Amino acid sequence: MHAVELIERKRNGGEIPAAELREFIAAYARDEVPDYQAAALLMAVWFRGLSASETFALTEAMVASGETVDLAAQLGRRVVDKHSTGGVGDKTTIAVGPVVAACGAPFGKMSGRGLGHTGGTLDKLESIPGFRVELSTEELVGQVREIGIAVAGQSADLVPADRKLYALRDVTATIDEVSLIAASIMSKKIAGGASALVLDVKVGEGAFMRTQEDARRLAEAMRGLGEEAGMDVVCLLTDMDQPLGQTVGNALEVREAYDTVAGGGPADFRELVVAAATQLLALSDLELDEDGARKRVTASLGDGSALAAYERWIRAQGGDPDPALLPRAAVVRRLPAPATGFVRGARAREVAAVAMALGAGRERKEDPIDHAVGVVCRAKHGDHVERGEPLAEIHARDEAAAESAAAALLSAYEIGDEPDPRPLVLDVIR
Ligand code: URA
């Protein structure tokens, strides 16, 4: 394998033979290919893309760079997993996991920390007092066997090539390329050992994929990779023009997930939880069709069983599930609507930037997080507000932080005369 020839071939729009691509990635993971050559290849891929077989070779090579886990074999059951391509206010795993477990399907998941402007599930879970995200694979499997659910941080030994390549993509403007995103996500899912996967592909100004067309391409690429690896994949295309649910910020999001598994929660978040859990159950070994799965999911939200599963899960990982114990911000400031009308936008990226500035996210990976702070979007797309009514709430460390967040948050909102309804689930790709 000659790295320069391989880069040149991709730069000129050619196809890289699978064996050579696998060798390049393996050598990069072993530090035998320098960052500058890997960066040049990434940029060539950004401009030229990868064919389906190149994308599969890249995925395979990344999976082979580290350990793999066969959860299904260890549990002796089909294991379902979910993954979101990253959104603002996306606390779906925290609610979907207990719902799926309550309905009788095992839910064992490895999650990540925040990427860019989107928060990570682990950061959110760590706002629960005592909650432990570091579980060994044995602990994860044991807990799923015992109580049906475990969510842990991804082991450093799983797909180390993606960890290295992702860090390089992050600093070379090569994150947002469909085949690279598809290979990055699917290598982790394949190495993690699930039998079936529901992918929540976010679309909109707060997502990696800004248009439905791009999101569909990403969904198809990931589904194809899953199929090649023997995994059933269903993709939901969901709106990410505005934050999901009302809350953006770690403890606030856990509270919202708690409210939802307890049978309440905002309508859009509940809709997504039901949609994702329904697809997961339909892919599980419970032999339910979609209709039966939806009925069981809805029942678990109404009869207290999803809440009981949540409480068992949080306790099993050392946490206290009582939402009254979640950290609270010192200052809560209401943001009144500046005019009467319909909310026509609460731009996700801008809301995320406000939450970030309040301290809810990280600029650099070593930055600390303030779990208590964030934003609550009381009014969302399509809602009617009267002038002076609460549009949003700012949860801040102090008055000065709340003050500077207020103007920025107001400019994330758009209020108009006409409603502009938009569905949350844009498509389901099977
Ligand atoms: N999430 C990932 O894990 N990888 C990407 O490339 C993008 C989002």
Side-chain angles (χ1 to χ4, degrees), residues 274-311:
V274 171
T278 298
Q279 295 300 336
L280 283 162
L281 285 197
L283 287 170
S284 75
D285 57 9
L286 296 176
E287 295 184 6
L288 291 166
D289 61 11
E290 247 182 80
D291 237 23
R294 182 167 290 105
K295 282 194 187 109
R296 195 177 290 193
V297 164
T298 310
S300 79
L301 293 170
D303 65 11
S305 58
L307 178 60
Y310 173 86
E311 290 175 337

Side-chain angles (χ1 to χ4, degrees), residues 85 115 166 169 180-181 184-185 188 208:
T85 58
L115 290 173
Y166 192 91
R169 286 166 60 206
L180 295 177
I181 297 176
S184 165
I185 291 177
K188 287 174 281 197
F208 282 120

